[in-house]
Each structure stands twice: as structure tokens, then as C-alpha cells.
Amino acid sequence: MANANQVKDDEWLHTVCDNCFSYCGILAHRVNGTVVKIEGDPDAPNSRGKVCAKGQAGVIGLYDPSRVKTPLKRTNPEKGIGVDPQWQPISWDEAIDIVAKKPNEVRKDDPRKVVVSSFDVPVIHKAVEAWCAAYGTPNSHWVGYYCGNYLHSSMYLTNGTFHSDYDIEYCNYLILLGNQSGFMIGVNANTTTQKMAEARARGMHVVAVDPICSHAASKADEWVPIRPGTDGALMLAMSHVLLHEMNLYDSPFLRQYSNAPYLVGNDGYYVRDAAGKPQVWDPASGQARTHDAGVRSPPWRAPIRLTASPAGPPLCS
């Protein structure tokens, strides 16, 4: 650090860490224009003044000699493993002109030829859909997921949000299915780990379901080492017990606000009439009728699946 007599600029700057999408709040210590230290920001609610090792190492990325600081243009048309792309630094104005020129040419020909393909957050957000709609292409959902296929789609279908989390302040029995949240893994790891410790101190029971003895499994109250690839079978079995044996579901809600009563054929698709409307089972007439035909069913007990022809009685009702 510079001698005290030579210091002209010495301050702590409030900012966020961008090494993952948790964006923990951090304080950057800048001395004479150079960041010399990163610490957690105690005023940040999502990290509570803590920062992981990767976040503290952010200074290394900031001053890495290989850090890309300007747009680069490929000058070697030949591609392949070990082939030098011969990147050439260009200005931002030139880069924007290049990026804008090609899409404009394609749009004049056929805007549907443009496909927005990216990963995770950038494509899911409505801004991309709005841009694609204005451009004239419907191809805005080409996402290369590898981490959130089940989570994001199911959360959008159920409560319209990108992410979901368990209510750890009130949870008494937590099952982690291949998930190590609360053990310094996942979104907002610092906060969830502190909350996990507080919940376990008050008596919350943790069950870790994982083929390997992960960090979470080694610390959990119970470890269930299922075979790899049997996650789906386990969750379907648990759902079967909840629905068919314990009857733990909101029947009126499912009947009125969901498609749960729709009949399902042997092909796995909804049973529909000639007009394409999904059908439900009408116990009064003993036959399948369209969902909007004013069917009044008795208390519904479970998802219905047809095992014979669409006109025959369902397996369960």
C-alpha cells in the first residue's frame, strides 16, 4: 500500500460482486485509483456482510493481464481446434455497427431467420421477447439450459416467478433432492447458510437425497443415497403417497383453477372432442364431456387417466 503521505484517494465503495448471479453486496477499498481489497457489505440484505472466496478474489479478475477490455473482431476466417482466430481490437462504435448491419440485412429478407440463442437469465426475461416481437421473429426461446430446466419452468407454471426457495424460517422438515442449498451452495449462499444454521438450531430436520455423500449429505440428519437416475421415480412415488394414500391436496382449487381434472388418453395427451376442447369425466351422465359443459362432479380424489377408449369410464374418479 502507498505511504500515508502519498495517499490522495482512499475510500470504500459500495458495489456488488458479479462472479455469480447472487450479486452479493461488497465494499471495494480503492487507494489512489487501485482496488486493493474486497470485503462483504454489512448493509447488503442478501449477503449480510459476508463474501465467499471467489468474491474476495475479484481483484485478481479486475487486474488480470488477459482481461478483455474492448470488443474484438475475428480476422481469420478459418476455424478449428488450435487455429488462431487472430482477434483484432476495435472500437465500440465499430462493434455496434457490425452487430446492427447483419440483423438489418436478414430482417429485410425474412426476420424469422433470426434465432436468439443464449443461456438462462438473458433469454427468459421479457425484454428479449419484446425485442424479438418488434424485430419480427418468434424464435426467442432457444435456451441452452444445464442447471435450471426443472426449476425455472415449473416455477413459471405454478407461481409465475423465475426462482423459488423454501421458507426456511418456518420449515420443520426439509428434504434436499440433489440440492445443497444452505450448505454454502446455490443462490445467496452466505444468507441461506446462516439461515440453515439458525433453523437447525431450533430443531429443523434435514434429509439429503443424493447418490453421493455430498457436503450437505454429510451434515444432514439423514442421508438417502438413491441410485443415479432414479430421482424421477422417487419423486413420483412420493407424489403418489401424498395424493392417493394421504389425500393431501386442495380438491376445490384443482377442480376450479387447474387442468387437473382433464382426461388423459393412452397416448399421454388430453382427450379432446372434435373441436379440440379438453374433456373431463361427467359422473352424472357416465361419459366424457368438454370442460366447459357445466359438469358438476363429486369431490375429486386423484388425477384421472383413461386406460381404455376415451368414451369408457376412467380408472379412478
Side-chain angles (χ1 to χ4, degrees):
M1 184 178 293
N3 186 283
N5 295 327
Q6 301 174 333
V7 173
K8 298 180 181 179
D9 171 32
D10 187 346
E11 60 181 323
W12 289 86
L13 306 174
H14 292 265
T15 182
V16 295
C17 175
D18 195 27
N19 279 318
C20 80
F21 52 70
S22 291
Y23 296 104
C24 293
I26 59 174
L27 293 171
H29 189 193
R30 186 181 67 190
V31 178
N32 290 341
T34 301
V35 176
V36 297
K37 175 67 175 176
I38 290 177
E39 293 184 1
D41 187 347
D43 295 328
N46 72 323
S47 50
R48 297 183 176 182
K50 308 296 183 182
V51 62
C52 71
K54 182 190 291 186
Q56 289 186 339
V59 177
I60 299 175
L62 180 62
Y63 297 114
D64 191 318
S66 299
R67 178 187 174 194
V68 178
K69 302 179 181 179
T70 183
L72 300 175
K73 178 181 179 180
R74 185 190 191 99
T75 59
N76 186 1
E78 183 182 355
K79 300 179 181 179
I81 298 176
V83 177
D84 184 6
Q86 298 178 14
W87 297 109
Q88 176 184 345
I90 59 176
S91 68
W92 282 103
D93 288 339
E94 183 179 355
I96 293 174
D97 289 340
I98 293 174
V99 171
K101 180 180 179 181
K102 188 63 178 179
N104 282 336
E105 294 175 353
V106 176
R107 188 183 188 192
K108 293 177 182 178
D109 178 27
D110 185 350
R112 295 172 297 177
K113 291 182 178 180
V114 168
V115 175
V116 177
S117 180
S118 183
F119 165 73
D120 216 9
V121 180
V123 170
I124 288 181
H125 284 186
K126 297 299 181 181
V128 172
E129 293 183 14
W131 183 91
C132 289
Y135 184 86
T137 177
N139 306 313
S140 61
H141 292 286
W142 296 74
V143 185
Y145 272 137
Y146 60 82
C147 77
N149 259 330
Y150 84 96
L151 172 66
H152 303 316
S153 56
S154 60
M155 287 304 102
Y156 270 129
L157 288 171
T158 53
N159 57 15
T161 62
F162 176 76
H163 184 66
S164 180
D165 210 345
Y166 46 88
D167 198 352
I168 197 168
E169 286 88 351
Y170 300 97
C171 180
N172 293 319
Y173 194 97
L174 176 64
I175 302 177
L176 296 174
L177 286 160
N179 184 331
Q180 297 193 69
S181 179
F183 295 89
M184 285 308 296
I185 302 292
V187 179
N188 292 338
N190 290 305
T191 304
T192 55
T193 299
Q194 293 177 63
K195 289 184 177 181
M196 175 67 75
E198 294 166 359
R200 299 192 73 183
R202 65 169 171 78
M204 184 181 72
H205 192 86
V206 179
V207 179
V209 180
D210 205 308
I212 64 172
C213 187
S214 62
H215 183 59
S218 68
K219 304 297 182 183
D221 297 290
E222 293 183 52
W223 170 38
V224 181
I226 62 172
R227 293 182 179 180
T230 62
D231 311 58
L234 173 64
M235 286 182 277
L236 287 173
M238 294 172 62
S239 299
H240 180 88
V241 171
L242 292 171
L243 288 173
H244 296 275
E245 298 181 16
M246 304 181 69
N247 295 324
L248 295 177
Y249 56 87
D250 189 341
S251 178
F253 178 90
L254 291 173
R255 282 204 311 271
Q256 185 171 354
Y257 299 108
S258 79
N259 58 1
Y262 288 5
L263 297 176
V264 179
N266 290 330
D267 57 2
Y269 291 93
Y270 292 138
V271 176
R272 301 175 183 271
D273 67 357
K277 291 185 177 182
Q279 295 185 299
V280 299
W281 187 255
D282 181 13
S285 62
Q287 63 182 2
R289 300 177 63 187
T290 58
H291 68 94
D292 56 355
V295 176
R296 295 292 182 266
S297 61
W300 180 68
R301 289 184 51 78
I304 297 173
R305 175 176 290 276
L306 292 181
T307 57
S309 65
L315 178 63
C316 54
S317 62

